Amino acid sequence: MRQSLVAGNWKLNGSLSSISELVSGIREQLSSVKNAELAVCPPYIYLSHVQTLLDGSGISLGAQDCSDQENGAYTGEVAAAMVKEFACKYVIIGHSERRHIYGDTNEKVATKFAHVVKNRLTPILCVGETLQEREDGHTEVVISKQINAVLDLFGIEAFKNAVIAYEPVWAIGTGKVASPTQAQEVHEEIRLTLDAQNKDIAANMRILYGGSMKPENAKELLQQPDIDGGLIGGAALKAEDFIGIALAAN
Ligand code: PGA
């Protein structure tokens, strides 16, 4: 039985005060969430602050990315081992904004994935196609390339303690959500790819959907057999909406 995970990706948003308010809003409504695991991924600089705010709540903490380097002369980078020190459980890797705006290639994402696993953190590996790729009928190829980049280098065992997030690029922050059928098709395909290598790992893999998930559309998506939660951007910035999505996973 896979426990749903609803993870908030706060991206480049928040301040000390707005984050305190958001976390206290989430904590106030937390008792209604029965089954889903909740996680929040603030900007690096707020990890310590949020770690304190989450104390005793059972909500997990995550980082939005990490370096593909371990340490050294890499100005501006943050290593997986560093986020580990702030009680992080998760690290988002390969988000489409990292891939498309900051040039993270499949190879770079795979290296980051390995650093996360090595530090006994759980990677949330994001995959997804652009609108053009979908229209050209390349969805499956793009996603298998993104997953195979990790599989080929590190093998299926690296996925033992991982989460995958399917995030169609055309649905991120656009208000255009994938239909439950469209999302389920891709999620099933991802599980089959893993299943061909290891049945247990595939069966236990949590595959999240991300892209304009809101309380209004969450239930139908989360009812699909291969959708095990959500990676939430915009709606994770409002306590009520974030909890609303978690309730849909109940
Ligand atoms: P969105 O973002 O929910 O605002 O579409 C999702 C994501 O980028 O993880």
Side-chain angles (χ1 to χ4, degrees), residues 9 11 95 97 167 171-174 210-214 231-235:
N9 173 12
K11 307 191 180 183
H95 189 279
E97 285 147 17
E167 300 209 306
I172 296 177
T174 58
S212 299
M213 205 189 237
K214 306 263 177 303
L231 183 56
I232 320 298

Side-chain angles (χ1 to χ4, degrees), residues 113-134:
F113 187 103
H115 281 285
V116 173
V117 170
K118 189 175 158 212
N119 284 282
R120 287 196 219 93
L121 291 151
T122 300
I124 301 179
L125 174 66
C126 299
V127 297
E129 80 289 4
T130 62
L131 184 58
Q132 190 63 53
E133 289 163 342
R134 174 164 280 268

Side-chain angles (χ1 to χ4, degrees), residues 8-198:
N9 173 12
W10 293 351
K11 307 191 180 183
L12 185 56
N13 293 294
S15 62
L16 282 174
S17 70
S18 74
I19 283 173
S20 304
E21 217 174 287
L22 176 56
V23 174
S24 90
I26 294 171
R27 290 193 69 149
E28 267 165 34
Q29 303 169 62
L30 199 57
S31 60
S32 52
V33 180
K34 302 283 179 245
N35 297 318
E37 178 190 354
L38 294 187
V40 294
C41 305
Y44 294 126
I45 193 141
Y46 297 124
L47 283 173
S48 166
H49 179 57
V50 178
Q51 180 189 6
T52 309
L53 295 173
L54 292 180
D55 192 37
S57 69
I59 300 172
S60 305
L61 185 60
Q64 297 175 16
D65 192 27
C66 72
S67 180
D68 59 342
Q69 302 293 334
E70 208 163 292
N71 62 277
Y74 301 101
T75 303
E77 291 289 274
V78 175
M82 295 172 180
V83 304
K84 173 85 178 177
E85 290 200 292
F86 292 90
C88 278
K89 177 174 178 189
Y90 295 103
V91 182
I92 300 171
I93 295 293
H95 189 279
S96 70
E97 285 147 17
R98 299 301 319 173
R99 292 178 187 268
H100 295 122
I101 307 173
Y102 297 100
D104 281 15
T105 59
N106 280 338
E107 293 64 36
K108 197 170 197 177
V109 171
T111 309
K112 290 181 176 190
F113 187 103
H115 281 285
V116 173
V117 170
K118 189 175 158 212
N119 284 282
R120 287 196 219 93
L121 291 151
T122 300
I124 301 179
L125 174 66
C126 299
V127 297
E129 80 289 4
T130 62
L131 184 58
Q132 190 63 53
E133 289 163 342
R134 174 164 280 268
E135 285 174 354
D136 293 345
H138 295 156
T139 301
E140 214 177 289
V141 178
V142 169
I143 287 165
S144 56
K145 265 194 195 152
Q146 291 169 336
I147 292 180
N148 286 336
V150 180
L151 269 179
D152 292 349
L153 279 179
F154 307 109
I156 186 72
E157 289 299 316
F159 283 85
K160 210 171 190 162
N161 180 37
V163 172
I164 294 177
Y166 168 54
E167 300 209 306
V169 180
W170 47 272
I172 296 177
T174 58
K176 269 192 218 156
V177 64
S179 73
T181 316
Q182 279 175 325
Q184 167 57 25
E185 261 173 28
V186 178
H187 282 236
E188 189 180 4
E189 198 53 50
I190 293 171
R191 205 178 299 286
L192 287 173
T193 304
L194 302 172
D195 184 82
Q197 309 238 357
N198 185 308

